[in-house]
Amino acid sequence: MSRTALVTGGTRGIGAAISRALSDAGYQVAANYAGNDEAAAKFTEETGIKTYKWSVAEYDACAEGIGKVESELGPVEVLVNNAGITRDAMFHKMTREKWEAVIGTNLNGLFNMTHPVWPGMRERKFGRVINISSVNGQKGQAGQTNYSSAKAGDIGFTRALAQEGARAGITVNAVCPGYIGTEMVRAIDEEVLNKHILPQIPVGRLGEPEEVARCVLFLASDEAGFITGSTISANGGQYFS
């Protein structure tokens, strides 16, 4: 029987690429999403991957959603915490609402999603938790104090939880993408992209969502059983850690 993988924010962008890669590799995939019903329906139509709607910022919604996934597809053995939002502003203009929204989804979401599946992983003596952080969680970024704080917190969460899961056969790792050619990034003004973003990337191009997905696919595999508490930087040489 194939393993069940749950990908948050799994119907668009990097998350969609991760969901597809896991499905192609034989996993039973559940793709969570928060709000875009049209995109989710189109994703299921194209891929056959089941989608489930809830906000990762709400603990009770996560517990209920995970329960539904497990009743339909089996126990979650691979969890990919990918869901994330941005509410950018320079700090002197940042509102409490923008701060709390990003922390609630991008950091608290890891607790809300991982906590309900952790007991089952411990009991079965197997689990893979893969957290999608960001290059800006490693180096910081002006105008993204909230986002950088949350994504740096994701790395701390990864390193601490990896130590707790190791003896139970559970690995916990992070992937830190740089600028990836998602719909959102490709919508950036071409002049800004060419003058200010691409020059920061030594390989001279944006990454592809599938390149991040391949990192996740490896970390989810049995072959990655000796790798835990690690961070894979998929940023084209933009930042070394």
Side-chain angles (χ1 to χ4, degrees):
M1 183 177 177
S2 61
R3 286 176 174 150
T4 297
L6 172 54
V7 183
T8 67
T11 64
R12 301 172 66 193
I14 292 172
I18 294 169
S19 295
R20 288 176 188 267
L22 288 166
S23 178
D24 289 346
Y27 291 84
Q28 290 269 18
V29 178
N32 152 269
Y33 72 103
N36 193 323
D37 294 324
E38 183 179 351
K42 182 179 179 182
F43 178 77
T44 296
E45 182 181 352
E46 292 175 349
T47 65
I49 295 171
K50 299 188 73 170
T51 59
Y52 299 81
K53 184 178 181 179
W54 72 80
S55 169
V56 301
E58 302 293 334
Y59 184 90
D60 290 342
C62 291
E64 181 179 346
I66 290 166
K68 184 176 182 182
V69 169
E70 294 195 323
S71 69
E72 295 182 2
L73 300 182
V76 173
E77 295 178 283
V78 177
L79 173 64
V80 183
N81 286 310
N82 168 74
I85 62 172
T86 57
R87 298 290 187 271
D88 296 351
M90 297 302 285
F91 189 66
H92 65 283
K93 294 183 177 180
M94 184 169 291
T95 64
R96 179 178 174 181
E97 289 73 22
K98 287 182 176 180
W99 174 270
E100 292 181 348
V102 170
I103 297 297
T105 294
N106 297 12
L107 180 56
N108 293 347
L110 270 65
F111 175 84
N112 295 342
M113 286 298 304
T114 310
H115 196 253
V117 303
W118 194 253
M121 289 181 174
R122 282 171 49 85
E123 183 177 340
R124 292 185 299 273
K125 300 297 182 184
F126 179 87
R128 297 284 188 266
V129 178
I130 303 158
N131 302 314
I132 308 302
S133 181
S134 168
V135 64
N136 290 341
Q138 295 173 299
K139 71 177 187 60
Q141 176 62 44
Q144 287 195 326
T145 304
N146 50 1
Y147 184 84
S148 295
S149 296
K151 291 300 186 178
D154 292 349
I155 296 171
F157 177 95
T158 297
R159 292 174 178 173
L161 193 59
Q163 296 178 55
E164 296 188 25
R167 292 296 179 93
I170 307 168
T171 66
V172 187
N173 292 289
V175 179
C176 288
Y179 283 97
I180 306 299
T182 60
E183 181 181 345
M184 180 178 67
V185 172
R186 293 191 185 280
I188 296 172
D189 181 85
E190 188 174 352
E191 183 176 355
V192 173
L193 191 65
N194 290 331
K195 287 189 175 180
H196 300 289
I197 294 177
L198 290 179
Q200 300 179 39
I201 306 172
V203 302
R205 65 172 177 85
L206 300 174
E208 295 296 333
E210 292 75 16
E211 293 178 299
V212 179
R214 285 193 287 271
C215 296
V216 172
L217 193 59
F218 170 65
L219 291 173
S221 70
D222 288 345
E223 289 78 7
F226 200 58
I227 299 172
T228 193
S230 295
T231 300
I232 294 180
S233 297
N235 60 37
Q238 182 185 354
Y239 182 80
F240 302 128
S241 63

